[in-house]
Amino acid sequence: MISLNRGEWSELYVVLFLLIEPKLEIVDEKLNTIEKGIFEIRKIILNANDKLEYCIEKNSVYVYMNFIEYNKMSINEVNEICKKIYKGIINNNKTSGAFSIIGVDTFLGKFSNGEIIKGKSIQKEDIETIVFDNKKLKDVNLKYSIKSLLGRPATLLNSSQHTNFRYSVTNISKEDIKVINSINTRTKLLDRMAEIEEKDGIILFDKVVSPTFDYNLRMVDSNMPEYLGNMLLSSYANNEKDLKELFLHHIPKIDKNFAIKKLEDLLSAICFSFIPSEKWGGHQSVNGGFLIVNTDGKILVLDLVYYKQHVLNYLVNNTKLDSPSSTRYHMFELYEENGRVYFTLNLQIRYKNL
């Protein structure tokens, strides 16, 4: 049997749901409906190992593989599997890891030649669609990122070796370094920070370790690495995780609007444009917005075409810093290099519980 994690099952669920309910329901930042019917799904395109296309015609779904008709199935059959997958997701008690849903494998053989439907980690869009735009009265190509509210809040920016930020420490001795590194409490990052301050150590942001991630951040704003480096350090000093509050209090500019705009630009770029490990050319690959799997099973749309500010408001008000594994990324482990003392912190951003 095929085993997928919650996110992967959710992506398959979105594809099936949109084939059954092709009129997209657009919502505001609080997920309240604005309107339904501006966009209507005509075709769904997935770039897996084979190019898969799903076209809706009357009460049938036509499956094309590499531009050749592969199968045809009724909307009722798609609907039954869609319900089964939703029930399987909400009834699974695992917080992470893969699980199976009985009765889906045979359907996937007809629907995708058994391929697992999921977005590639090297691209921001999870799904590509052709929709009819009832305002422009024509078909348009829209690419979306998929987020699910059925499990643990998703990450916007995953921790990796590329998301390490380095800091220099001065005014401490070799003996101080040993004492600080020996702290291994449950809250060791906060405690090591406090110990450096207790010993009158001076911490300054040094650099983003990855040149690629540094380049991408500077494409958003030339000062973004410094903004994030200082903010990340402050989050540990003050035990503050809310991104909006951190930007409001630690962006050294004159007004609130500047700080919020910088945060909007950053989160928009992370969600719709670049990944830390690939040099970014400045373009936005997701032009449709978010498809959100709501807790009641509905698919809601945060729309970038006509309601972009609602998308930005959602990101600003519903994101926080997360704490990746301090052991895996050797965070706050003081070390000497070329006569100077450094440590690193790792950046990870996650949605809040809604």
Side-chain angles (χ1 to χ4, degrees):
M1 291 179 66
I2 292 174
S3 292
L4 305 174
N5 62 37
R6 282 177 179 270
E8 292 164 345
W9 281 120
S10 294
E11 289 184 32
L12 175 58
Y13 175 75
V14 167
V15 174
L16 301 180
F17 186 96
L18 294 181
L19 294 173
I20 302 160
E21 299 284 347
K23 291 185 178 181
L24 300 183
E25 184 173 345
I26 297 174
V27 296
D28 63 16
E29 64 264 32
K30 295 183 178 179
L31 305 187
N32 296 317
T33 301
I34 298 173
E35 57 182 308
K36 184 175 182 178
I38 292 180
F39 299 122
E40 186 169 354
I41 298 286
R42 300 286 205 204
K43 181 189 292 187
I44 295 174
I45 304 163
L46 301 171
N47 292 301
N49 293 328
D50 296 298
K51 189 177 184 69
L52 297 167
E53 298 181 332
Y54 303 93
C55 299
I56 305 168
E57 294 183 25
K58 297 182 180 179
N59 291 317
S60 297
V61 173
Y62 289 82
V63 182
Y64 294 86
M65 185 175 296
N66 299 323
F67 307 105
I68 298 172
E69 186 176 329
Y70 173 73
N71 216 328
K72 173 188 174 184
M73 54 192 66
S74 70
I75 289 292
N76 286 338
E77 182 180 3
V78 175
N79 190 29
E80 286 304 309
I81 297 297
C82 186
K83 291 177 180 177
K84 189 170 291 188
I85 290 173
Y86 174 69
K87 189 175 292 185
I89 294 172
I90 61 173
N91 287 341
N92 187 275
N93 294 322
K94 293 182 179 179
T95 56
S96 62
F99 58 93
S100 300
I101 298 176
I102 296 172
V104 175
D105 289 37
T106 301
F107 172 81
L108 282 180
K110 296 188 293 181
F111 191 72
S112 62
N113 195 26
E115 283 198 60
I116 296 172
I117 293 174
K118 63 176 182 177
K120 296 179 180 179
S121 60
I122 58 171
Q123 63 189 33
K124 302 307 292 188
E125 67 272 19
D126 295 311
I127 185 173
E128 181 179 355
T129 65
I130 303 297
V131 304
F132 184 75
D133 184 327
N134 280 295
K135 288 191 174 183
K136 296 178 180 177
L137 298 179
K138 67 176 184 179
D139 286 345
V140 295
N141 181 292
L142 295 178
K143 297 176 182 179
Y144 292 94
S145 176
I146 294 172
K147 299 300 176 191
S148 176
L149 303 184
L150 298 182
R152 188 186 177 202
T155 54
L156 284 78
L157 181 71
N158 289 316
S159 59
S160 71
Q161 294 300 332
H162 286 274
T163 60
N164 275 327
F165 286 66
R166 191 170 81 167
Y167 302 84
S168 66
V169 186
T170 56
N171 201 40
I172 59 171
S173 66
K174 291 183 181 294
E175 186 60 35
D176 292 335
I177 294 172
K178 291 180 182 179
V179 170
I180 293 163
N181 283 341
S182 70
I183 296 172
N184 197 30
T185 57
R186 187 178 61 84
T187 55
K188 70 178 182 182
L189 300 186
L190 295 174
D191 295 340
R192 289 182 183 186
M193 178 85 168
E195 186 67 18
I196 292 173
E197 292 177 346
E198 178 69 22
K199 295 183 180 300
D200 295 322
I202 300 169
I203 302 172
L204 293 174
F205 169 68
D206 180 52
K207 68 175 183 177
V208 176
V209 175
S210 164
T212 302
F213 189 37
D214 180 81
Y215 178 91
N216 292 347
L217 291 175
R218 292 190 189 280
M219 284 282 282
V220 178
D221 186 283
S222 60
N223 294 313
M224 189 57 71
E226 287 75 20
Y227 292 159
L228 282 176
N230 292 327
M231 182 204 69
L232 184 58
L233 182 66
S234 176
S235 75
Y236 285 98
N238 301 296
N239 199 22
E240 173 65 72
K241 296 296 183 183
D242 185 277
L243 265 177
K244 182 178 179 181
E245 291 302 314
L246 285 164
F247 264 72
L248 285 174
H249 292 116
H250 300 289
I251 300 297
K253 292 293 178 180
I254 58 174
D255 61 35
K256 172 183 176 181
N257 291 334
F258 184 92
I260 295 300
K261 180 62 168 64
K262 295 297 105 178
L263 180 55
E264 288 176 349
D265 291 346
L266 173 68
L267 295 176
S268 179
I270 289 172
C271 288
F272 305 130
S273 299
F274 76 74
I275 58 175
S277 60
E278 300 285 334
K279 193 172 182 179
W280 179 36
H283 64 280
Q284 182 172 301
S285 56
V286 173
N287 62 343
F290 288 118
L291 295 172
I292 296 179
V293 185
N294 200 17
T295 52
D296 62 2
K298 283 186 176 182
I299 305 302
L300 309 176
V301 182
L302 278 163
D303 171 54
L304 282 172
V305 180
Y306 296 111
Y307 297 99
K308 182 177 180 179
Q309 193 56 51
H310 287 296
V311 182
L312 297 177
N313 292 345
Y314 178 84
L315 290 173
V316 166
N317 292 312
N318 292 292
T319 50
K320 65 175 184 177
L321 291 184
D322 199 16
S323 298
S325 169
S326 60
T327 303
R328 180 177 182 181
Y329 294 106
H330 305 285
M331 292 199 290
F332 249 116
E333 292 181 9
L334 274 61
Y335 65 94
E336 291 187 77
E337 184 178 287
N338 298 324
R340 300 190 67 184
V341 179
Y342 300 101
F343 68 85
T344 60
L345 294 175
N346 194 276
L347 178 67
Q348 180 166 281
I349 301 174
R350 186 179 294 278
Y351 290 101
K352 298 176 185 175
N353 284 306
L354 299 178

